[in-house]
Amino acid sequence: MYGNQQPSSTKGQAQGGASCSSQDVKQIDMRQRFADIMSPDDDDKMQEDAELQEAIERSLIDIGQAYDNQEIDYCETDVAAKDLQEDAAVQFLQQVLKSWIEDKLDTTVHLDDYIAITVRRLEPWANAQRFFARVKQTAMMSRPLRVKFVGEPGADAGGPRREFFRLCFMDITNSGILSVGQNGRFMFANNTSAYMEHTYRHFGWLTVLSLLHGGNGPGFFTEMIARYICTEHLECIDIEDVDDPIIYDKLKKVQQATSPEEISAAINQCDFWFDCGCSKVVNAQNKDEMVRQVITYQCFLKGKAALDQYLDGLKALGFLDIVRQNHKATKQLFNRTRHLTAISIEEIYEPRFSPLGSNKRQIEEEIVLAWSDFLRDVEDKEVFGDIYDEAGIEVVTKHLITLQDVFIFLTAADAMTPKGLDCIPSVRFDHDKPTAKLEISTCFLYVLFPVNPSMAKADKFKEEFVYAMMNAPGFIKP
């Protein structure tokens, strides 16, 4: 959806992002909640689940001490405990991935031997599959990767890669190899053609490649599928995962029936018991168990061959072993539950202010306040962008801007990447070009605001930011 360089005042044109300079790239320190976690020394081994539990326990101790010192209210402790546990899991996962990446990514490869993938935005998954069809040994995936979008300028210093993986995962959800439950979560479809063409194995390779090169995991699977990937145990059987709306409605009626007459009628309406492998006669006594069996078939067994091929793909570079050795932390790669907030984006992007007391500092702070107000308006679902017809003349509909849209625009990723980021995201200020449009770099993770009185006003700031987003390469089109 978004390119490495973002639009100028002319619709569809790029402002022109900065070229990739090593001076811009810095490691993110431990003080930042969502920043990069420095990996352990080379002699250190990968952490076990016990260490994740230890990190969580330390977080809980911190909460207890804060409560004892009356720094937080008792009613806040549950929320604080959950947040700290999630933070500990995120940090532990970052350490695990960094250790695996350092072991598997061959940084000694000459630039000419990098993996190079050229991508059309309209068919990223098809482009990825063409590459995977040429893979003879998965070891070649350990080489560094460069992604080039057809017809778009800019070198790949991270942004195009993240965008490529995000677009591929999004494309996969519409490709027919997955099915979606009533809750919007995905599972493996029974697609024989895709299976015979090794598409699910390629999906597994894509997941490994994404995480090796700083992207996200799929994140969209059901809880049941994610847990099975990570543990080989079948858990969390949920009727909301069922993809067939007719079967879903009939199963709900069986679940909710209470009187003998209602139970009998609901059971008789279901003509799929045998097809789903239920060999017993369904009655009032065993109906709940039979419903579970149907859910298991619909959401797991029906696509089990496809899932197994995906798992085979995850074995590339030893990644599946890493997943299962650290299953409590790695589940979030396949079933992402943590959502972006306005304050989390603010915390990630550090303003680079002029010296305190200078003439420039005051208006910079006013612009940051407008930026903060904008993020909260987005969080409150109060910001919309115009979508024009193909000629770019007439508004055909409105698009509700989400925090995920904003984060994609800024970083090319739809969520914080589990590896962490390679440089410190920043808010910068352009005093030399006050009439310019705002500029972002998804490689070096900065947003550059032109400094003028209008940008310090909330309404004008919102107008400028939304315009830049809506005119970015690949954004929502009719």
Side-chain angles (χ1 to χ4, degrees):
M1 284 165 55
Y2 313 89
N4 178 33
Q5 300 171 347
Q6 302 304 336
S8 66
S9 56
T10 302
K11 182 171 181 174
Q13 295 180 346
Q15 174 73 19
S19 61
C20 300
S21 166
S22 61
Q23 294 179 345
D24 285 89
V25 181
K26 298 189 294 183
Q27 291 296 327
I28 297 177
D29 61 57
M30 289 285 289
R31 293 171 297 174
Q32 292 179 285
R33 181 179 180 187
F34 292 92
D36 196 9
I37 301 300
M38 301 302 291
S39 60
D41 294 336
D42 291 340
D43 294 335
D44 290 347
K45 294 182 179 181
M46 193 176 309
Q47 308 300 308
E48 298 290 341
D49 281 349
E51 296 190 22
L52 171 59
Q53 184 61 35
E54 181 182 347
I56 292 174
E57 289 173 357
R58 287 198 301 268
S59 299
L60 294 174
I61 291 172
D62 291 340
I63 292 176
Q65 291 174 343
Y67 172 65
D68 291 340
N69 296 334
Q70 297 183 336
E71 295 172 7
I72 57 175
D73 204 84
Y74 179 77
C75 63
E76 297 175 322
T77 56
D78 286 346
V79 174
K82 182 179 179 182
D83 285 346
L84 282 175
Q85 288 184 49
E86 289 181 346
D87 285 347
V90 167
Q91 293 177 7
F92 180 77
L93 177 60
Q94 287 178 333
Q95 292 175 355
V96 167
L97 288 178
K98 287 178 79 67
S99 178
W100 172 69
I101 291 168
E102 288 176 355
D103 182 48
K104 299 300 181 182
L105 185 61
D106 186 358
T107 57
T108 65
V109 173
H110 188 272
L111 182 64
D112 292 340
D113 294 322
Y114 278 24
I115 298 171
I117 301 180
T118 302
V119 185
R120 289 188 68 228
R121 286 185 176 275
L122 294 179
E123 48 183 23
W125 175 224
N127 298 154
Q129 288 186 85
R130 279 200 293 272
F131 162 71
F132 290 132
R134 299 193 300 270
V135 172
K136 304 304 180 184
Q137 295 180 329
T138 56
M140 71 173 289
M141 292 196 296
S142 65
R143 293 184 295 179
L145 171 68
R146 291 291 180 266
V147 171
K148 170 70 175 177
F149 283 95
V150 174
E152 297 180 23
D156 182 7
R161 266 171 281 162
R162 287 191 296 271
E163 184 162 11
F164 166 65
F165 293 125
R166 177 183 61 80
L167 291 175
C168 278
F169 287 134
M170 185 170 64
D171 204 9
I172 284 171
T173 62
N174 297 310
S175 68
I177 70 171
L178 303 176
S179 56
V180 60
Q182 305 303 307
N183 53 12
R185 290 285 178 173
F186 289 84
M187 67 212 84
F188 289 88
N190 182 18
N191 187 324
T192 304
S193 296
Y195 179 86
M196 298 300 292
E197 294 168 1
H198 307 290
T199 303
Y200 295 102
R201 181 176 291 109
H202 295 167
F203 181 17
W205 288 354
L206 178 77
T207 302
V208 174
L209 202 64
S210 176
L211 292 164
L212 183 69
H213 294 286
N216 277 306
F220 47 56
F221 287 121
T222 65
E223 179 83 7
M224 178 169 61
I225 294 297
R227 284 179 180 257
Y228 185 83
I229 290 171
C230 296
T231 67
E232 290 188 282
H233 296 151
L234 193 58
E235 302 173 308
C236 300
I237 298 173
D238 185 357
I239 192 172
E240 298 302 320
D241 291 347
V242 174
D243 58 337
D244 189 314
I246 296 176
I247 292 178
Y248 171 81
D249 288 339
K250 290 181 177 181
L251 289 179
K252 288 290 284 187
K253 290 178 180 178
V254 174
Q255 278 188 332
Q256 296 168 354
T258 54
S259 69
E261 295 78 11
E262 290 176 341
I263 293 172
S264 178
I267 290 173
N268 290 335
Q269 285 182 357
C270 299
D271 54 0
F272 45 74
W273 299 112
F274 183 78
D275 291 339
C276 292
C278 300
S279 57
K280 297 179 181 178
V281 175
V282 185
N283 54 45
Q285 286 69 43
N286 68 4
K287 70 178 182 71
D288 290 336
E289 176 57 29
M290 293 298 102
V291 167
R292 283 173 55 84
Q293 289 187 18
V294 172
I295 296 171
T296 301
Y297 174 81
Q298 288 290 323
C299 303
F300 178 74
L301 293 175
K302 190 168 65 173
K304 181 63 165 55
L307 171 56
D308 286 343
Q309 193 180 89
Y310 175 74
L311 293 174
D312 186 62
L314 288 185
K315 292 178 182 177
L317 305 181
F319 184 68
L320 186 59
D321 290 338
I322 299 299
V323 167
R324 289 179 171 168
Q325 290 166 8
N326 305 277
H327 60 91
K328 291 181 181 177
T330 55
K331 186 179 77 70
Q332 60 190 290
L333 299 175
F334 305 96
N335 178 262
R336 191 184 307 130
T337 57
R338 195 167 194 173
H339 302 292
L340 290 165
T341 62
I343 194 169
S344 70
I345 295 178
E346 278 191 274
E347 288 176 345
I348 294 170
Y349 275 78
E350 177 183 301
R352 294 190 178 181
F353 288 120
S354 297
L356 190 64
S358 64
N359 292 333
K360 295 179 179 180
R361 179 65 176 257
Q362 181 174 348
I363 191 168
E364 290 172 354
E365 291 183 352
E366 291 174 355
I367 291 173
V368 168
L369 285 177
W371 158 244
S372 178
D373 288 341
F374 170 75
L375 291 175
R376 279 156 180 76
D377 287 345
V378 172
E379 190 170 47
D380 293 338
K381 300 180 180 180
E382 296 177 355
V383 181
F384 294 84
D386 294 333
I387 297 180
Y388 289 82
D389 57 19
E390 293 184 0
I393 299 174
E394 185 177 346
V395 175
V396 294
T397 187
K398 297 279 188 180
H399 171 72
L400 175 65
I401 303 293
T402 67
L403 288 175
Q404 187 179 64
D405 290 334
V406 175
F407 198 72
I408 291 171
F409 177 64
L410 295 172
T411 70
D414 55 3
M416 191 63 183
T417 54
K419 170 183 170 287
L421 299 171
D422 296 322
C423 50
I424 301 175
S426 62
V427 172
R428 306 181 187 183
F429 306 94
D430 188 349
H431 291 269
D432 297 327
K433 300 176 183 177
T435 61
K437 294 294 182 180
L438 68 90
E439 174 187 324
I440 71 104
S441 170
T442 60
C443 284
F444 300 122
L445 301 175
Y446 66 77
V447 53
L448 180 66
F449 293 131
V451 177
N452 60 64
S454 294
M455 287 296 289
K457 297 177 181 178
D459 289 345
K460 183 63 177 176
F461 182 96
K462 182 188 301 185
E463 178 184 328
E464 290 292 322
F465 202 97
V466 170
Y467 178 85
M469 286 184 63
M470 299 300 294
N471 288 280
F475 198 75
I476 304 297
K477 302 298 179 187

